[in-house]
């Protein structure tokens, strides 16, 4: 009797199959890099948007919120046109590379980080505005304090971005090309191996992806609980 796909999948995971490890390692490297870029832009941008007052601010907030639901294939297509040989960034030679995949994922999760940061910081500013003002803190100077105080809530936003990026298929497939040993991630490999009938590898990658998702949710839950427990301390300037 032939081995079942589930047993074979667990066997690949437990044996640390080289092909599986290579795909997982690339996926994590791409996703973590995208999260770092998205947070470097999204956290200060969201905090600035929460505290700044300028004409058209409402329209910018609506746009950022709308981009949270940006279809991945649209983001991938836009980036493909930018990086293709006929595009404005074609000379960089980034198309069908891990760098292009990082940019695609960062473009998808940056609006999530920005929007959630804006809402969190705006709520904190409304709660502690008088306290911060009495300490001589302006809106701009309050940004680092508010970001630090909201660190547990913002961890949830970061994990949400990581979750979306790790599960992405369309955008990375368009700009990465799903090249074996170079740009093949867990999600694109699962789609490919399923179509090929190699269910063992597809299931093995699926098990790891599910484990990562569960870990992310556990981390978000734990961060939210810890933040709620420490919330009584108020702002620490």
């Amino acid at each position: 009797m032939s081995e079942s796909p589930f047993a074979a999948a667990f066997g690949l995971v437990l044996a640390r199959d080289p092909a599986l490890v290579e795909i997982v390692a690339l996926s994590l490297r791409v996703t973590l890099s995208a999260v770092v870029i998205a947070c470097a832009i999204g956290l200060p941008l969201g905090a600035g948007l929460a505290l700044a007052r300028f004409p058209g601010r409402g329209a910018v907030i609506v746009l950022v919120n709308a981009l949270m639901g940006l279809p991945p294939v649209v983001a991938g297509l836009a980036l493909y046109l930018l990086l293709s040989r006929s595009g404005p960034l074609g000379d960089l030679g980034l198309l069908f590379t891990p760098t292009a995949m990082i940019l695609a994922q960062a473009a998808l999760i940056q609006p999530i980080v920005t929007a959630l940061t804006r809402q969190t910081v705006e709520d904190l500013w409304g709660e502690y505005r008088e306290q911060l003002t009495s300490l001589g803190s302006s809106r701009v100077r309050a940004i680092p304090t508010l970001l630090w105080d909201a660190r547990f809530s913002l961890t949830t936003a970061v994990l949400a971005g990581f979750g979306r990026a790790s599960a992405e298929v369309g955008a990375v497939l368009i700009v990465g090309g799903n090249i074996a040993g170079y740009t093949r991630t867990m999600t694109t490999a699962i789609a490919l191996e399923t179509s090929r009938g190699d269910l063992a590898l597809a299931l093995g990658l699926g098990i790891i992806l599910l484990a990562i998702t569960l870990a992310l949710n556990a981390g978000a839950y734990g961060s939210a609980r810890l933040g709620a427990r420490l919330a009584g301390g108020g702002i620490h300037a």
Side-chain angles (χ1 to χ4, degrees), residues 53-215:
R53 294 296 180 268
F54 55 88
R57 176 176 176 272
V60 173
I61 292 175
V62 170
L63 177 61
V64 171
N65 290 339
L67 289 175
M68 291 177 66
L70 179 67
V73 290
V74 174
L77 177 59
L79 191 58
Y80 178 91
L81 294 175
L82 288 174
L83 299 179
S84 64
R85 289 187 177 182
S86 58
L89 302 179
D91 292 339
L92 298 178
L94 297 179
L95 193 62
F96 304 134
T97 67
T99 301
M101 298 159 61
I102 292 171
L103 294 176
Q105 289 192 359
L108 287 172
I109 62 180
Q110 187 267 323
I112 297 175
V113 176
T114 300
L116 296 180
T117 300
R118 181 204 65 80
Q119 186 61 61
T120 301
V121 172
E122 191 169 300
D123 291 343
L124 277 180
W125 176 250
E127 185 175 354
Y128 297 112
R129 178 177 181 176
E130 293 184 3
Q131 181 180 346
L132 289 169
T133 303
S134 67
L135 294 172
S137 180
S138 64
R139 288 176 179 266
V140 174
R141 291 177 58 189
I143 289 177
T145 301
L146 292 171
L147 285 175
W148 174 253
D149 199 72
R151 60 193 181 279
F152 296 107
S153 297
L154 295 178
T155 298
T156 303
V158 173
L159 291 176
F162 186 96
R164 179 174 186 186
S166 63
E168 171 50 35
V169 181
V172 296
L173 187 61
I174 292 174
V175 302
N178 200 21
I179 303 171
Y182 188 51
T183 61
R184 184 162 296 169
T185 63
M186 285 189 283
T187 51
T188 58
I190 289 172
L192 177 64
E193 299 305 331
T194 300
S195 66
R196 286 177 171 178
D198 188 354
L199 297 182
L201 181 55
L203 285 171
L205 291 169
I207 290 169
I208 294 176
L209 189 58
L210 181 59
I212 291 174
T213 301
L214 291 173

